[in-house]
Amino acid sequence: MCGIVGYVGPRDCSDVLVSALTKLEYRGYDSAGIAVFENGKIEVAKTKGRLSDLVDKMKKEGKPQGHAGIGHTRWATHGEPSDINSHPHSGRRVTIVHNGIIENYKDIKKFLIENDRTEFLSDTDTEVVAQLLDFYYDGNPIRCIRKVLHEIRGSFALGIVFADRPETVYAVRCESPLIVGQGKGEAFIASDVPAIIKYTKDYYLLEYGEIAVLKNGSVSFCDLHGRMVEKELKTADFDEDSAEKGGYEHFMIKEIHEQPTAVKTTITPRIENGMPDLSECGITPEILRSFNNIFIVACGTAMHAGMVGKYVIEKLARVSVTVDIASEFRYRDPLIGENDLVIIISQSGETADSKAVLNLVKQTKAKSLAIVNVKGSSIAREADMVIYTHAGPEIAVASTKAYMVQLSVMYLLAFEMAYAKGKITEFECRNLTEQLVKTPEYIEKAIELEYNCQYISTKLITADSLLYIGRGLDYALSMEGSLKLKEISYIHSESYAAGELKHGTISLITEGMPVIAVATQNSLLEKTVSNIKEVKARGAMTIVICDEFAEIDDDAVDFLIRIPKISEVLMPMIATVPMQLLAYYTSVNKGNDVDKPRNLAKSVTVE
Ligand code: G6P
């Protein structure tokens, strides 16, 4: 939610801020703004709309000229998207950008009003913080920030400039992510590494309550008590190209194409002599044998990866797995036993509800395992064990490659656990692992179905609503297919267990309504085909995704997508590809903004 950036150095600050913000627009894109020291004075430019609207505005009205400043791209929480509610926000001598939420802003506002501070222009919680900073500012920025940190509650990261401290940027983090980049004679702040990768790969991870001071091109840090802190400089393991479209029209299609490589990079270091080996992540066979129950908790797409994980772990390792939506789990007083494992799956590693679940687990004796893509993110750092997925930066809001690598990790975990528990033989485990190693090749072939999917998507664009159906793993998978489509095409869709349709939902079927049936599980094929015929008989237009050899009666199908056949249990990794492509091309054909769908943001750091 929201992206913040800051810069101090010799370059044109406005240009750097805008360039960095383009890499953070996935975090929010309903308004944008910057504040730059120009001849010792803070100049602000901001507007409702996309970053491109800000650029247009600055072309017309002139951009702030200077070498130090802060910037913001917004996903509205308090107050509608408008020029006034756009960041930066200012008090008399302080200007800030903010990512996150200030929970007690109403109390603070009341306190400020009671103390004669009444000049609030916006509806935002951010402006209240700017005013509070101003209220306490006595010429010592660090003391003032520390004082305010003790009074505000919530999850936030702030970039701050003080009018009487020109060419200096302050930053602080509580919960919401913030990194501090160090280049040659220049320094940056950003909500995420891709924002600054064009300028430097070296960065510091700001910890909870730490304050960074960017001045004269270098950085210093202190903690909540004002003590200086030495921090470890990290180096990003990806380059600028990973955060660029590289010739593709959208990040989403680029990321779909990156999936074979992402899977290879994720699984290869975790396979030793043909067997899964998660020991580099602190996971041993003894640990895997020790769990009674598993909870998989996540949000959105990551939760859907967990659904596939449940089917696979239960089937192979014979351990009971419950999958929960994080925002539900955290409030449902779950029964977590001391020998249970809670797996938290998160691309960003910063999702507020998933983080809250981790905090909840820490109050129990259960173990937590994070499956996370972003290195050094909060969830990754705080869990007992972590398996990093190696998808590289995922920029499109609709997740594709991150889901794919989450699936690949679910398989590794299921295979190793099943073997550790003696539920499958070494031969079976080797065989499954070998099949998993082959998936990148099969995913590649599935991507070749792009033009077929592009054509079929033209049949979907006029639909008001559609259904995804499947059984078993196909049902788990169709949940993600359905989410992908609705996220970016804005067509209502639902996923349904094929066998459950006749208990109510089949009444929705009308002439020409598209039904996408996933039928990759041979053991359930006949039954799924019967369900497909049931909807077809009621007028549905059926699109069936099945393997290249599956026997499907012609009269059940309007459009057939045949995907390469691999071991049944691994079919979700292949079948997800045409679903991604159908969603992508439906969105493209509708003329939607594929990478930045309306109302959404990629990193959801608010409840
Ligand atoms: C947002 C994104 C989804 C993502 C979900 C969970 O809703 O739009 O694509 O699946 O958050 O994010 P996480 O980073 O925890 O995987």
Side-chain angles (χ1 to χ4, degrees):
M1 305 273 105
C2 302
I4 68 177
V5 295
Y7 177 71
V8 171
R11 300 177 205 255
D12 180 315
C13 182
S14 295
D15 289 352
V16 174
L17 295 176
V18 167
S19 148
L21 287 173
T22 57
K23 299 289 182 298
L24 293 183
E25 262 198 304
Y26 70 84
R27 304 178 68 88
Y29 32 85
D30 59 45
S31 35
I34 60 173
V36 174
F37 283 105
E38 183 176 287
N39 300 323
K41 245 186 98 217
I42 298 171
E43 291 295 336
V44 172
K46 60 181 184 174
T47 184
K48 174 186 166 182
R50 298 285 165 93
L51 197 56
S52 55
D53 296 311
L54 177 68
V55 172
D56 288 346
K57 183 176 178 176
M58 293 196 296
K59 267 189 200 139
K60 277 190 215 124
E61 298 173 10
K63 65 177 180 188
Q65 302 286 342
H67 299 282
I70 51 180
H72 190 263
T73 177
R74 180 170 188 244
W75 188 87
T77 56
H78 297 71
E80 58 169 11
S82 68
D83 288 354
I84 291 286
N85 287 335
S86 308
H87 298 212
H89 288 283
S90 304
R92 292 169 199 160
R93 296 157 299 170
V94 188
T95 296
I96 69 171
V97 288
H98 163 216
N99 164 211
I101 284 201
I102 307 299
E103 285 163 3
N104 58 340
Y105 80 102
K106 281 191 186 150
D107 295 341
I108 295 169
K109 193 166 181 177
K110 188 163 165 264
F111 163 82
L112 287 166
I113 291 170
E114 280 164 8
N115 285 277
D116 300 328
R117 295 277 173 147
T118 51
E119 63 257 48
F120 295 96
L121 303 174
S122 76
D123 306 318
T124 63
D125 51 348
T126 309
E127 189 186 8
V128 174
V129 179
Q131 295 282 8
L132 188 67
L133 281 160
D134 196 77
F135 182 78
Y136 285 127
Y137 189 48
D138 60 358
N140 182 329
I142 298 286
R143 191 158 59 213
C144 160
I145 293 170
R146 285 175 47 217
K147 175 104 180 110
V148 167
L149 284 184
H150 284 112
E151 299 205 0
I152 57 179
R153 232 183 25 242
S155 101
F156 54 86
L158 303 172
I160 311 167
V161 286
F162 292 85
D164 63 353
R165 289 283 183 284
E167 311 310 310
T168 311
V169 168
Y170 297 82
V172 64
R173 170 195 176 196
C174 288
E175 303 284 353
S176 299
L178 198 65
I179 59 112
V180 179
Q182 178 68 77
K184 287 198 182 79
E186 56 186 351
F188 308 78
I189 60 165
S191 299
D192 202 355
V193 182
I196 58 155
I197 200 81
K198 179 170 166 189
Y199 305 103
T200 179
K201 287 176 109 177
D202 297 330
Y203 67 97
Y204 300 96
L205 274 174
L206 210 57
E207 302 285 345
Y208 185 95
E210 282 179 348
I211 302 167
V213 184
L214 283 62
K215 197 178 173 186
N216 295 331
S218 63
V219 195
S220 57
F221 301 95
C222 68
D223 66 14
L224 256 184
H225 310 286
R227 293 179 297 234
M228 296 304 283
V229 178
E230 286 295 322
K231 293 186 68 68
E232 180 199 347
L233 192 62
K234 297 183 179 292
T235 304
D237 58 2
F238 57 90
D239 52 25
E240 201 190 334
D241 290 350
S242 324
E244 297 290 343
K245 283 190 202 143
Y248 288 95
E249 202 181 336
H250 300 103
F251 279 110
M252 183 173 172
I253 191 70
K254 176 186 177 234
E255 288 160 5
I256 289 173
H257 280 263
E258 284 171 347
Q259 294 181 114
T261 308
V263 171
K264 235 182 266 171
T265 319
T266 299
I267 62 173
T268 308
R270 283 79 185 248
I271 296 175
E272 274 301 312
N273 297 321
M275 291 289 278
D277 180 356
L278 293 164
S279 52
E280 65 141 15
C281 314
I283 301 167
T284 60
E286 294 70 56
I287 292 180
L288 290 173
R289 271 193 288 273
S290 68
F291 303 121
N292 291 341
N293 300 293
I294 297 177
F295 296 90
I296 303 181
V297 193
C299 304
T301 291
M303 193 274 289
H304 292 154
M307 286 302 297
V308 172
K310 169 188 165 72
Y311 278 83
V312 181
I313 295 172
E314 285 191 342
K315 189 178 174 68
L316 297 174
R318 312 304 295 155
V319 183
S320 156
V321 182
T322 312
V323 182
D324 266 275
I325 295 167
S327 56
E328 288 295 313
F329 188 82
R330 63 184 288 192
Y331 294 117
R332 80 165 166 79
D333 205 0
L335 293 166
I336 310 173
E338 65 177 295
N339 292 322
D340 292 347
L341 170 69
V342 182
I343 303 177
I344 292 157
I345 310 178
S346 175
Q347 187 284 129
S348 63
E350 299 292 350
T351 304
D353 285 316
S354 305
K355 254 163 78 172
V357 168
L358 184 55
N359 291 339
L360 189 116
V361 178
K362 288 175 139 212
Q363 289 156 29
T364 71
K365 290 190 173 148
K367 286 261 178 289
S368 58
L369 163 63
I371 298 175
V372 169
N373 194 44
V374 176
K375 315 278 171 313
S377 55
S378 309
I379 294 174
R381 283 184 296 158
E382 286 161 29
D384 295 323
M385 299 166 279
V386 56
I387 306 178
Y388 278 117
T389 52
H390 298 308
E394 190 180 61
I395 314 281
V397 167
S399 180
T400 52
K401 63 174 179 173
Y403 172 73
M404 183 67 92
V405 291
Q406 286 161 355
L407 293 188
S408 70
V409 166
M410 285 282 110
Y411 285 109
L412 280 174
L413 192 65
F415 298 168
E416 188 167 353
M417 190 180 289
Y419 179 59
K421 284 191 160 258
K423 302 294 178 191
I424 56 173
T425 62
E426 183 180 336
F427 176 78
E428 288 167 320
C429 192
R430 275 187 192 286
N431 192 270
L432 285 165
T433 310
E434 195 184 325
Q435 295 274 309
L436 180 64
V437 171
K438 284 190 185 148
T439 53
E441 205 182 295
Y442 288 79
I443 295 166
E444 196 92 63
K445 286 196 185 129
I447 295 174
E448 287 167 15
L449 296 166
E450 190 164 349
Y451 296 107
N452 189 15
C453 294
Q454 187 173 12
Y455 171 69
I456 296 172
S457 73
T458 60
K459 311 288 173 197
L460 302 180
I461 49 177
T462 52
D464 294 326
S465 178
L466 55 81
L467 284 181
Y468 281 76
I469 59 170
R471 284 170 176 262
L473 275 170
D474 288 334
Y475 171 48
L477 185 64
S478 64
M479 291 178 186
E480 175 56 11
S482 169
L483 175 67
K484 214 65 344 181
L485 188 92
K486 69 183 138 199
E487 276 182 307
I488 57 174
S489 76
Y490 315 145
I491 298 173
H492 170 258
S493 92
E494 257 188 80
S495 57
Y496 234 78
E500 181 66 9
L501 267 187
K502 53 188 165 297
H503 298 293
T505 306
I506 201 162
S507 70
L508 293 175
I509 305 284
T510 50
E511 194 60 35
M513 180 182 187
V515 173
I516 301 180
V518 194
T520 70
Q521 301 295 297
N522 270 338
S523 45
L524 297 166
L525 186 65
E526 273 180 27
K527 295 190 189 305
T528 308
V529 170
S530 302
N531 300 134
I532 300 172
K533 287 186 177 175
E534 285 159 14
V535 294
K536 180 94 180 101
R538 286 158 180 84
M541 177 180 79
T542 56
I543 298 155
V544 178
I545 301 173
C546 62
D547 74 51
E548 53 200 324
F549 306 116
E551 284 182 24
I552 310 267
D553 301 338
D554 288 349
D555 62 350
V557 181
D558 288 299
F559 299 97
L560 196 58
I561 303 177
R562 286 202 182 271
I563 54 173
K565 186 174 166 60
I566 196 166
S567 161
E568 191 168 308
V569 83
L570 286 160
M571 283 306 282
M573 288 184 69
I574 320 301
T576 193
V577 175
M579 289 199 268
Q580 296 167 342
L581 291 167
L582 283 176
Y584 172 74
Y585 280 108
T586 307
S587 178
V588 170
N589 288 332
K590 289 191 78 177
N592 294 349
D593 191 343
V594 178
D595 287 337
K596 299 186 198 103
R598 72 180 173 215
N599 304 340
L600 294 179
K602 192 158 187 69
S603 181
V604 182
T605 51
V606 296
E607 255 198 69

